[in-house]
Amino acid sequence: MKERTRAQESTGAIERLYISMRHLFSRGFYKPMGVSGATLRKSLLLLRPEIYGSIAEDKVELNGLIYIIERLPEGIEECQFINLTAEEGYQQSHFKPIIPPKRRRNCYRIDKDQMNIEITRGRSEIYDILTHLTFLFIESHKIKDRVLINNDADCIREWNNLKEIVLYNKEVSKDEREVTIAHLGTILGRTYKEVAAVYKAFSTEKNPDRFFQMIYWLGQLAINETIDNQKRVVTFSSVLNEQIGQHIYGEIWANNIKETLQNNNLLERPLHIVSANMHSVMNSIYAKAALPKEAANSKNFELFELLSNKDSKELQKKVKNYASKNGLIYLEDTSKTNINVQIIDTSKIDFEATNYTKVNSKDQQPVIIVMDYAFGEQAYETMDELLKPYKANGQTTHLNVESVSIMGKAGILDGGKGDIMIPSSHIFEGTADNYPFKNELSKEDLEGFGVQVFDGAMISVLGTSLQNKDILKFFHESTWDVIGLEMEGAHYQKAIQAASKIRGNISENVKVRYAYYASDNPLETGATLASGGLGMSGVTPTYAITQKILEQIF
């Protein structure tokens, strides 16, 4: 019998993760480090995703820790009970929402032992949180294994020193801090240099010693699980269980958009939907007119680089103010999807003051709907709801959607950060589902901007934190010939195909455009998402893609 390859094992592990997460969710609760969490732990350790680095080794993985802590609520490491809930009215209570820096979700610390996390973006958000928590708890048990002596209640002296600092909120001098960092090297199985760098990454003005607290509580809760059998528990609320897959938040979100179009007499106009960030379309259309002085001194994308700088708040404000007086309506999300929207009435744009000329849409007054990025399966929910006819006052109005353009970030398998991918089809990971389509954007459209451009199939993954090199190499080097991976493409395409080819909600001749820029290369060590963001290297591909989408619309 032929031996199974790592890629086949990994595919099996992803499938098992997917099935067991859905099972645990239906069951309503589980203990991540108990028997019920065993399949998740085993699958994750077999998979060894790139983002979780040394998860299968004895030493504690530090870059992966930074990555997930930015996506989980502050203080979660101290909580024995983690509840995943729907939107259940906590904003009307005295609990203050805790919002993780890299994931817009409301979390509430109920008491010292319990954290509630609000899920309003569908199943992908649950998969995301559960894999991060599994990683976190595996790492916490590594700390416990290194500090407990003979699995007894006695701990090594380095741990007792850390405990004293954290539990008694001890003020530490520079020298004592360095001693503690040295001790942490022993506890984590890492060098002084590595620990010092991560200490700095976690340090905030308000809480410089956050890393000490985090390691202590991770280890302490793992010790409590082992010595006192106080297992950590993840619970799913019954309301969440009932609501998931019901499109509750997506429907509210889509109706808000259609109502705004109706109130501004834009509902019957030709519509172009663009899924992108909240600045590139606005800046591409309005920045030149809003900032004439800066525009005069800028060539290529220099003006956009200036606007992307975090010190350019005043200039960004000028563009926003100018845009809102010239056809842009901003809809801040109130539906809990966390997807903000801009509606741009192009009849109010002074095209003389832009880099665009109206050719395709000369006799039309198209409306552009820019929606912020969706998250995984949420892309299906939001696009499906948005493309449905608008029903109000006994009337049904079909939307005149002429095009849907998706611009997003993705992992690349051929080039490097900042390069561009033009997909010809989306494959859904863990299944044989595939979605070929005619992409209005071509490789030739995006050449000449100084970045590499690749075209081919792309894979829509269950989660960015579930990929490893073996499975990606297989997809890249086999006849699938995949050029990159992302989380939303197949879900968007599923909704667009259903609306245009089956349900007749929109024209079957709707044009689709997909283009992605590379945020990382998971096949290159040191170039994964855990190695940091794109910085300024993201400006060129973002604005190159935006420019081509707008040229085709106009």
Side-chain angles (χ1 to χ4, degrees):
M1 202 171 99
K2 205 170 84 164
E3 211 175 301
R4 292 183 79 205
T5 63
R6 270 282 291 146
Q8 286 168 320
E9 282 178 353
S10 303
T11 306
I14 287 176
E15 233 165 295
R16 277 195 302 280
L17 273 165
Y18 184 48
I19 292 163
S20 57
M21 285 194 278
R22 290 191 82 142
H23 161 69
L24 294 170
F25 175 57
S26 306
R27 182 182 176 212
F29 76 98
Y30 80 107
K31 293 174 181 172
M33 298 312 284
V35 177
S36 49
T39 310
L40 280 191
R41 296 197 308 276
K42 274 185 197 151
S43 302
L44 209 56
L45 287 167
L46 177 67
L47 193 59
R48 298 199 291 281
E50 293 307 304
I51 227 153
Y52 296 152
S54 56
I55 184 171
E57 297 169 34
D58 286 343
K59 57 186 181 186
V60 173
E61 166 56 32
L62 298 179
N63 280 340
L65 199 58
I66 294 174
Y67 179 83
I68 65 146
I69 286 298
E70 289 179 329
R71 286 155 178 80
L72 291 172
E74 192 171 342
I76 195 157
E77 67 280 359
E78 300 171 24
C79 297
Q80 186 188 343
F81 303 100
I82 294 161
N83 288 3
L84 272 53
T85 71
E87 196 278 291
E88 296 177 21
Y90 286 106
Q91 69 271 41
Q92 286 150 24
S93 66
H94 72 280
F95 300 116
K96 277 197 170 60
I98 306 166
I99 299 168
K102 293 283 173 75
R103 281 278 185 271
R104 289 170 304 193
R105 53 170 75 111
N106 287 342
C107 309
Y108 300 93
R109 183 78 179 261
I110 304 300
D111 57 33
K112 72 177 180 56
D113 295 319
Q114 183 182 332
M115 181 72 78
N116 282 15
I117 301 176
E118 222 171 62
I119 306 288
T120 55
R121 302 172 79 173
R123 283 196 192 93
S124 294
E125 194 167 16
I126 296 172
Y127 308 148
D128 190 53
I129 290 167
L130 294 191
T131 45
H132 288 342
L133 289 177
T134 306
F135 164 76
L136 195 64
F137 298 161
I138 289 172
E139 295 302 306
S140 76
H141 273 251
K142 287 188 202 171
I143 297 169
K144 178 263 302 178
D145 291 341
R146 298 184 74 95
V147 301
L148 272 189
I149 301 168
N150 304 328
N151 250 0
D152 209 354
D154 293 335
C155 297
I156 60 174
R157 72 182 189 90
E158 288 89 344
W159 183 254
N160 294 328
N161 173 55
L162 179 67
K163 184 176 184 172
E164 205 172 295
I165 288 171
V166 174
L167 284 191
Y168 302 112
N169 280 330
K170 201 172 143 192
E171 282 275 327
V172 283
S173 66
K174 186 173 177 284
D175 290 354
E176 284 174 312
R177 186 169 287 122
E178 288 181 356
V179 169
T180 310
I181 288 173
H183 285 335
L184 276 181
T186 307
I187 293 167
L188 304 174
R190 291 288 185 174
T191 64
Y192 177 84
K193 190 178 166 188
E194 287 172 320
V195 179
V198 175
Y199 170 85
K200 210 167 152 191
F202 277 104
S203 201
T204 62
E205 213 174 302
K206 217 169 68 185
N207 190 358
D209 294 328
R210 177 155 184 234
F211 188 55
F212 294 168
Q213 293 150 13
M214 212 174 71
I215 295 303
Y216 171 73
W217 286 111
L218 279 176
Q220 190 55 48
L221 264 66
I223 291 169
N224 296 348
E225 286 192 308
T226 307
I227 306 286
D228 304 320
N229 205 25
Q230 293 179 7
K231 296 276 188 240
R232 284 172 279 202
V233 182
V234 176
T235 314
F236 307 93
S237 82
S238 50
V239 180
L240 178 64
N241 234 316
E242 283 160 23
Q243 286 188 2
I244 216 79
Q246 301 273 325
H247 291 201
I248 286 169
Y249 304 104
E251 188 179 5
I252 299 167
W253 173 83
N255 282 340
N256 285 345
I257 296 169
K258 292 168 199 171
E259 205 174 292
T260 308
L261 291 170
Q262 169 90 315
N263 295 343
N264 289 277
N265 298 320
L266 304 173
L267 196 62
E268 314 274 339
R269 295 251 204 105
L271 300 175
H272 297 269
I273 298 166
V274 182
S275 168
N277 52 56
M278 284 286 99
H279 53 80
S280 60
V281 175
M282 177 178 70
N283 288 346
S284 296
I285 294 174
Y286 295 110
K288 192 177 166 188
L291 306 169
K293 197 168 92 226
E294 289 78 5
N297 302 323
S298 305
K299 53 182 192 293
N300 301 332
F301 295 146
E302 283 172 4
L303 180 60
F304 305 133
E305 277 182 14
L306 179 65
L307 281 165
S308 301
N309 198 316
K310 59 177 186 292
D311 303 326
S312 299
K313 293 269 188 290
E314 279 308 305
L315 296 178
Q316 292 162 8
K317 207 165 143 192
K318 268 188 190 170
V319 177
K320 276 181 193 159
N321 290 343
Y322 177 86
S324 57
K325 288 177 188 144
N326 290 272
L328 186 139
I329 303 162
Y330 180 62
L331 289 182
E332 189 159 0
D333 180 60
T334 53
S335 69
K336 295 281 180 176
T337 57
N338 283 313
I339 299 176
N340 296 324
V341 170
Q342 293 161 342
I343 295 172
I344 300 171
D345 177 358
T346 62
S347 68
K348 294 183 177 168
I349 295 170
D350 173 10
F351 277 88
E352 298 292 311
T354 71
N355 294 325
Y356 302 99
T357 43
K358 283 175 87 174
V359 180
N360 301 350
S361 55
K362 207 165 192 169
D363 308 318
Q364 303 175 326
Q365 303 292 1
V367 173
I368 301 173
I369 298 171
V370 185
M371 57 182 279
D372 209 342
Y373 299 126
F375 186 68
E377 285 187 26
Q378 188 193 28
Y380 176 73
E381 174 178 338
T382 47
M383 190 59 75
D384 183 54
E385 291 298 331
L386 185 54
L387 299 179
K388 282 179 184 172
Y390 179 54
K391 292 178 177 170
N393 312 323
Q395 277 185 310
T396 300
T397 312
H398 283 260
L399 305 188
N400 179 10
V401 178
E402 297 213 336
S403 76
V404 182
S405 307
I406 312 292
M407 170 175 84
K409 275 192 296 205
I412 196 165
L413 302 179
D414 249 328
K417 280 188 182 188
D419 289 340
I420 291 175
M421 291 154 277
I422 306 291
S424 52
S425 58
H426 289 292
I427 303 152
F428 188 37
E429 181 184 50
T431 68
D433 299 358
N434 51 78
Y435 301 89
F437 50 85
K438 184 191 178 304
N439 195 342
E440 295 294 320
L441 291 170
S442 68
K443 186 176 173 179
E444 293 69 42
D445 286 334
L446 284 140
E447 281 170 342
F449 287 102
V451 293
Q452 292 189 85
V453 188
F454 301 89
D455 59 0
M458 286 188 74
I459 185 162
S460 295
V461 298
L462 274 178
T464 46
S465 50
L466 289 179
Q467 306 316 308
N468 71 21
K469 282 186 177 159
D470 304 285
I471 202 167
L472 294 176
K473 266 196 187 125
F474 163 73
F475 273 117
H476 182 43
E477 291 166 9
S478 70
T479 50
W480 285 110
D481 199 17
V482 163
I483 54 168
L485 60 144
E486 48 73 58
M487 278 183 71
E488 291 79 30
H491 302 298
Y492 276 131
Q493 190 56 26
K494 193 163 50 167
I496 297 163
Q497 269 176 217
S500 59
K501 305 273 191 285
I502 299 170
R503 304 174 76 175
N505 286 341
I506 59 171
S507 161
E508 63 176 311
N509 300 320
V510 65
K511 291 181 161 72
V512 292
R513 304 179 189 93
Y514 288 89
Y516 298 91
Y517 55 93
S519 54
D520 65 303
N521 183 335
L523 289 179
E524 276 178 33
T525 305
T528 65
L529 280 172
S531 66
L534 266 169
M536 281 296 174
S537 63
V539 173
T540 300
T542 304
Y543 282 91
I545 295 167
T546 307
Q547 182 180 313
K548 288 297 164 188
I549 290 172
L550 289 174
E551 278 174 12
Q552 289 195 6
I553 290 173
F554 294 137

Coordinates of all heavy atoms in Angstrom, one line a residue, residues 122-161:
G122 N -20.7 34.8 11.2 CA -20.8 33.5 10.7 C -19.8 32.5 11.1 O -19.0 32.7 12.0
R123 N -19.9 31.3 10.5 CA -19.1 30.1 11.0 C -17.6 30.3 10.9 O -16.9 29.8 11.7 CB -19.5 28.9 10.2 CG -20.9 28.3 10.6 CD -21.0 26.9 10.0 NE -22.4 26.5 10.2 CZ -23.3 26.6 9.3 NH1 -23.0 27.2 8.1 NH2 -24.6 26.2 9.5
S124 N -17.2 31.1 9.9 CA -15.7 31.2 9.7 C -15.1 31.9 11.0 O -14.0 31.6 11.3 CB -15.4 32.1 8.5 OG -15.8 31.4 7.3
E125 N -15.9 32.7 11.6 CA -15.4 33.4 12.8 C -15.3 32.4 13.9 O -14.3 32.5 14.7 CB -16.4 34.5 13.2 CG -15.8 35.4 14.2 CD -16.6 36.7 14.4 OE1 -17.8 36.8 14.0 OE2 -16.0 37.6 15.0
I126 N -16.2 31.4 14.0 CA -16.1 30.4 15.0 C -14.9 29.5 14.8 O -14.1 29.2 15.7 CB -17.4 29.5 15.1 CG1 -18.6 30.4 15.5 CG2 -17.2 28.3 16.0 CD1 -19.9 29.7 15.4
Y127 N -14.6 29.1 13.5 CA -13.5 28.3 13.2 C -12.2 29.0 13.6 O -11.2 28.5 14.1 CB -13.4 27.9 11.7 CG -14.6 27.3 11.1 CD1 -15.0 27.5 9.8 CD2 -15.5 26.5 11.9 CE1 -16.1 27.0 9.3 CE2 -16.6 25.9 11.4 CZ -16.9 26.2 10.0 OH -18.1 25.6 9.5
D128 N -12.2 30.3 13.3 CA -11.0 31.2 13.5 C -10.7 31.2 15.0 O -9.6 30.9 15.5 CB -11.4 32.6 13.1 CG -10.2 33.5 13.0 OD1 -9.1 33.2 12.5 OD2 -10.2 34.6 13.6
I129 N -11.7 31.4 15.9 CA -11.5 31.5 17.3 C -11.1 30.2 17.9 O -10.2 30.1 18.7 CB -12.8 32.1 18.0 CG1 -13.0 33.6 17.6 CG2 -12.7 31.9 19.5 CD1 -14.3 34.2 18.0
L130 N -11.8 29.1 17.5 CA -11.5 27.8 18.0 C -10.1 27.3 17.7 O -9.4 26.7 18.6 CB -12.5 26.7 17.6 CG -14.0 26.9 18.0 CD1 -14.8 25.7 17.7 CD2 -14.1 27.2 19.5
T131 N -9.6 27.6 16.5 CA -8.2 27.2 16.2 C -7.3 28.0 17.0 O -6.3 27.5 17.5 CB -7.9 27.2 14.7 OG1 -8.4 28.5 14.2 CG2 -8.6 26.1 13.9
H132 N -7.5 29.3 17.1 CA -6.6 30.1 17.9 C -6.6 29.7 19.4 O -5.5 29.6 20.0 CB -7.1 31.6 17.9 CG -6.8 32.2 16.5 ND1 -5.9 31.7 15.6 CD2 -7.3 33.4 16.0 CE1 -5.9 32.5 14.6 NE2 -6.7 33.5 14.7
L133 N -7.8 29.4 19.9 CA -7.8 28.9 21.3 C -7.1 27.6 21.5 O -6.4 27.4 22.5 CB -9.3 28.8 21.8 CG -10.1 30.1 22.0 CD1 -11.5 29.8 22.4 CD2 -9.4 31.0 23.1
T134 N -7.3 26.7 20.6 CA -6.6 25.4 20.7 C -5.1 25.6 20.7 O -4.4 25.0 21.5 CB -7.0 24.5 19.5 OG1 -8.5 24.4 19.5 CG2 -6.5 23.1 19.7
F135 N -4.6 26.4 19.8 CA -3.2 26.8 19.8 C -2.7 27.3 21.1 O -1.7 26.9 21.7 CB -2.9 27.8 18.7 CG -1.5 28.4 18.8 CD1 -0.4 27.8 18.5 CD2 -1.4 29.7 19.3 CE1 0.9 28.4 18.6 CE2 -0.2 30.4 19.4 CZ 1.0 29.7 19.0
L136 N -3.5 28.3 21.6 CA -3.2 29.0 22.9 C -3.1 28.0 24.0 O -2.1 28.1 24.9 CB -4.3 30.0 23.2 CG -4.0 31.1 24.2 CD1 -2.8 32.0 23.8 CD2 -5.2 32.0 24.5
F137 N -4.0 27.1 24.1 CA -4.0 26.1 25.2 C -2.9 25.1 25.1 O -2.4 24.6 26.1 CB -5.4 25.5 25.4 CG -6.5 26.5 25.7 CD1 -7.9 26.2 25.5 CD2 -6.2 27.7 26.2 CE1 -8.9 27.1 25.7 CE2 -7.2 28.7 26.5 CZ -8.6 28.3 26.3
I138 N -2.6 24.7 23.9 CA -1.5 23.8 23.7 C -0.2 24.4 24.2 O 0.6 23.8 24.9 CB -1.4 23.4 22.2 CG1 -2.5 22.4 21.8 CG2 0.0 22.7 21.9 CD1 -2.6 22.1 20.2
E139 N 0.0 25.7 23.8 CA 1.2 26.4 24.3 C 1.2 26.6 25.8 O 2.2 26.5 26.4 CB 1.2 27.8 23.6 CG 1.4 27.8 22.1 CD 2.6 27.1 21.6 OE1 3.7 27.4 22.1 OE2 2.5 26.2 20.8
S140 N 0.0 26.8 26.4 CA -0.1 27.0 27.8 C 0.4 25.7 28.6 O 1.0 25.7 29.6 CB -1.5 27.4 28.3 OG -2.4 26.3 28.3
H141 N 0.1 24.5 28.0 CA 0.5 23.3 28.6 C 2.0 23.0 28.4 O 2.6 22.3 29.2 CB -0.4 22.1 28.0 CG -1.6 21.9 28.8 ND1 -1.8 20.8 29.7 CD2 -2.7 22.7 29.0 CE1 -3.0 21.0 30.3 NE2 -3.6 22.1 29.8
K142 N 2.6 23.6 27.3 CA 4.0 23.5 27.2 C 4.7 24.3 28.4 O 5.7 23.8 28.9 CB 4.5 24.1 25.9 CG 4.2 23.3 24.7 CD 4.9 24.0 23.5 CE 4.3 23.7 22.2 NZ 4.9 24.5 21.1
I143 N 4.1 25.4 28.7 CA 4.7 26.2 29.8 C 4.6 25.4 31.1 O 5.5 25.3 31.8 CB 3.9 27.6 29.9 CG1 4.1 28.4 28.7 CG2 4.4 28.4 31.2 CD1 3.2 29.7 28.6
K144 N 3.4 24.8 31.3 CA 3.2 24.0 32.5 C 4.2 22.9 32.6 O 4.8 22.6 33.7 CB 1.7 23.5 32.5 CG 1.3 22.6 33.6 CD 1.4 21.1 33.3 CE 0.6 20.7 32.1 NZ 0.7 19.2 31.9
D145 N 4.4 22.2 31.5 CA 5.3 21.1 31.5 C 6.8 21.5 31.8 O 7.5 20.7 32.4 CB 5.4 20.4 30.1 CG 4.0 19.7 29.8 OD1 3.3 19.4 30.8 OD2 3.7 19.4 28.6
R146 N 7.1 22.7 31.5 CA 8.5 23.2 31.8 C 8.7 23.7 33.2 O 9.8 23.9 33.6 CB 8.9 24.3 30.7 CG 8.9 23.8 29.3 CD 9.4 24.8 28.4 NE 10.8 25.0 28.5 CZ 11.7 24.4 27.7 NH1 11.3 23.6 26.7 NH2 13.0 24.6 27.9
V147 N 7.6 24.1 33.9 CA 7.7 24.7 35.2 C 7.3 23.8 36.4 O 7.8 24.0 37.5 CB 6.9 26.1 35.3 CG1 7.4 27.0 34.3 CG2 5.4 25.9 35.3
L148 N 6.5 22.8 36.1 CA 6.1 21.9 37.2 C 7.2 20.8 37.4 O 7.8 20.3 36.5 CB 4.8 21.1 36.8 CG 3.5 21.7 37.1 CD1 2.4 20.7 36.9 CD2 3.4 22.2 38.6
I149 N 7.5 20.6 38.7 CA 8.5 19.6 39.0 C 7.8 18.3 39.3 O 6.9 18.2 40.2 CB 9.3 20.0 40.2 CG1 10.1 21.3 39.9 CG2 10.4 18.9 40.6 CD1 10.7 22.0 41.1
N150 N 8.1 17.2 38.5 CA 7.4 15.9 38.6 C 5.9 15.9 38.7 O 5.3 15.2 39.4 CB 7.9 15.2 39.9 CG 9.4 15.1 39.9 OD1 10.0 15.0 38.9 ND2 10.0 15.2 41.1
N151 N 5.3 16.8 37.9 CA 3.8 16.9 37.8 C 3.2 17.1 39.2 O 2.1 16.7 39.4 CB 3.2 15.7 37.1 CG 2.6 16.1 35.8 OD1 2.7 17.3 35.4 ND2 2.1 15.2 35.0
D152 N 4.0 17.7 40.1 CA 3.5 17.9 41.5 C 3.2 19.4 41.6 O 3.4 20.2 40.6 CB 4.7 17.6 42.4 CG 4.2 17.1 43.8 OD1 3.0 17.2 44.0 OD2 5.0 16.7 44.6
A153 N 2.8 19.9 42.7 CA 2.4 21.3 42.9 C 3.7 22.2 43.0 O 3.6 23.4 42.9 CB 1.6 21.5 44.1
D154 N 4.9 21.5 43.1 CA 6.1 22.3 43.2 C 6.5 22.8 41.8 O 6.4 22.1 40.8 CB 7.3 21.5 43.7 CG 7.0 21.1 45.2 OD1 6.3 21.9 45.9 OD2 7.5 20.0 45.6
C155 N 7.0 24.1 41.8 CA 7.4 24.7 40.5 C 8.9 25.1 40.6 O 9.4 25.4 41.7 CB 6.6 25.9 40.2 SG 4.8 25.5 40.0
I156 N 9.5 25.3 39.4 CA 10.9 25.8 39.4 C 10.9 27.2 39.9 O 9.9 28.0 39.9 CB 11.5 25.7 38.0 CG1 10.6 26.5 37.0 CG2 11.5 24.3 37.5 CD1 11.2 26.6 35.6
R157 N 12.1 27.7 40.4 CA 12.2 29.0 41.0 C 11.9 30.1 40.1 O 11.4 31.2 40.5 CB 13.6 29.1 41.7 CG 14.8 29.3 40.8 CD 16.1 29.4 41.5 NE 17.1 29.8 40.4 CZ 17.4 31.1 40.2 NH1 16.8 32.1 40.8 NH2 18.3 31.4 39.2
E158 N 12.3 30.0 38.8 CA 12.0 31.0 37.8 C 10.5 31.3 37.7 O 10.1 32.5 37.6 CB 12.5 30.6 36.4 CG 14.0 30.6 36.2 CD 14.6 29.2 36.5 OE1 13.9 28.4 37.2 OE2 15.7 29.0 36.1
W159 N 9.7 30.3 37.9 CA 8.2 30.5 37.9 C 7.8 31.2 39.1 O 6.9 32.1 39.0 CB 7.5 29.1 37.8 CG 6.0 29.2 37.7 CD1 5.1 29.0 38.6 CD2 5.3 29.7 36.5 NE1 3.8 29.2 38.2 CE2 3.9 29.6 36.9 CE3 5.7 30.1 35.2 CZ2 2.9 30.0 36.0 CZ3 4.7 30.4 34.3 CH2 3.3 30.4 34.7
N160 N 8.3 30.9 40.2 CA 7.9 31.6 41.5 C 8.3 33.0 41.4 O 7.6 33.9 42.0 CB 8.6 30.9 42.7 CG 8.1 29.4 42.9 OD1 6.9 29.2 42.6 ND2 8.9 28.5 43.3
N161 N 9.4 33.4 40.8 CA 9.8 34.8 40.6 C 8.8 35.5 39.8 O 8.4 36.6 40.1 CB 11.2 34.8 40.0 CG 11.6 36.2 39.7 OD1 11.7 37.1 40.5 ND2 12.0 36.4 38.4

